[in-house]
Amino acid sequence: MEDRVRVVIAEDSVLLREGLTRLLTDRGHDVVAGVGDGEALIKTITELDAQGELPDVVVADVRMPPTHTDEGVRAAVQLRKAHPGLGVLVLSQYVEERYATELLAGSSRGVGYLLKDRVAEVREFVDAVVRVAEGGTALDPEVVAQLLGRSRKQDVLARLTPREREVLGLMAEGRTNSAIARQLVVSDGAVEKHVSNIFLKLGLSQSEGDHRRVLAVLTYLNS
């Protein structure tokens, strides 16, 4: 059973919005509001915050009315700046690198970017919502592949071995060391060694703490 979280959903498709609500409530979570555009999302979060009832996470479509371009992700970025403790998980039909990079450029906690196809994998989607609500990271494997692939010719990436790149990709998806070990069928100790090497090669000091896992990915995106 996942920890119970409070969610606000921003999706202009009523059918999808109701579907997401059903998925989450069936797993014991609270969907406290559902809206259809970025302006309504910001207004709703502002009102909930004023009442002392800020949700744990917002699930928002990247593209929403009135122009169906970037209203959703712009609202998400604005909310993350105004409410650093608010988790934000954005959904997109396709991998849109500019939007993913913009979202990841801020705080390294409580952020996610998933393709809408991932919603069909119910447990994976709900787990991602909970992880982001609790301050973790949830990046779609396709998003990670494209963002890291874009940087493959950068000198900083050349410092990593193929296995270290693979571990970094799984880290960016929000997986723990134990989950990475199971995925790669290696020991926890082997994963810990790869992670330490990644931090060392990227110049991420011990003082960065747990945030180094996300900063490792951001180093590629900003290189």
Side-chain angles (χ1 to χ4, degrees):
M1 293 295 293
E2 300 93 349
D3 293 333
R4 191 183 189 95
V5 299
R6 300 175 70 251
V7 188
V8 169
I9 298 175
E11 166 60 56
D12 62 296
S13 167
V14 176
L15 183 62
L16 181 54
R17 188 165 71 237
E18 292 300 320
L20 294 176
T21 299
R22 181 65 180 272
L23 287 180
L24 291 167
T25 55
D26 281 354
R27 300 300 284 273
H29 303 296
D30 296 325
V31 177
V32 298
V35 299
D37 60 69
E39 183 177 342
L41 172 59
I42 292 174
K43 180 181 179 181
T44 297
I45 295 300
T46 301
E47 292 175 348
L48 289 171
D49 185 42
Q51 298 166 10
E53 298 180 355
L54 191 70
D56 300 303
V57 60
V58 167
V59 178
D61 190 359
V62 166
R63 298 172 180 264
M64 289 194 291
T67 68
H68 293 279
T69 54
D70 62 354
E71 282 84 357
V73 74
R74 283 195 289 106
V77 171
Q78 183 176 334
L79 288 173
R80 283 179 61 74
K81 292 179 180 178
H83 308 281
L86 176 66
V88 173
L89 173 62
V90 300
L91 304 178
S92 179
Q93 193 69 41
Y94 311 101
V95 178
E96 302 179 86
E97 294 182 12
R98 178 168 65 88
Y99 297 149
T101 303
E102 183 177 5
L103 186 69
L104 291 167
S107 170
S108 59
R109 291 181 57 82
V111 63
Y113 188 114
L114 296 181
L115 295 182
K116 286 188 174 181
D117 288 346
R118 199 68 56 188
V119 176
E121 300 174 24
V122 177
R123 171 166 287 280
E124 187 170 338
F125 168 70
V126 176
D127 285 349
V129 172
V130 174
R131 188 159 63 246
V132 171
E134 295 178 343
T137 308
L139 298 182
D140 194 285
E142 290 298 322
V143 174
V144 173
Q146 288 204 27
L147 294 179
L148 293 184
R150 184 181 63 182
S151 304
R152 286 190 183 278
K153 295 183 180 180
Q154 300 294 333
D155 290 341
V156 67
L157 186 63
R159 302 172 190 171
L160 302 184
T161 67
R163 177 61 93 181
E164 288 166 352
R165 295 176 190 171
E166 191 173 10
V167 169
L168 178 56
L170 293 171
M171 287 166 56
E173 291 175 26
R175 298 177 188 268
T176 64
N177 284 2
S178 294
I180 293 173
R182 290 193 298 270
Q183 177 74 18
L184 300 181
V185 195
V186 297
S187 68
D188 286 2
V191 173
E192 290 174 3
K193 182 177 180 180
H194 289 312
V195 173
S196 294
N197 287 339
I198 290 169
F199 293 156
L200 178 64
K201 292 177 181 180
L202 297 185
L204 297 174
S205 65
Q206 184 67 39
S207 62
E208 298 291 353
D210 292 338
H211 296 312
R212 291 188 298 174
R213 297 181 75 85
V214 177
L215 291 176
V217 177
L218 295 181
T219 298
Y220 288 109
L221 304 184
N222 296 324
S223 64

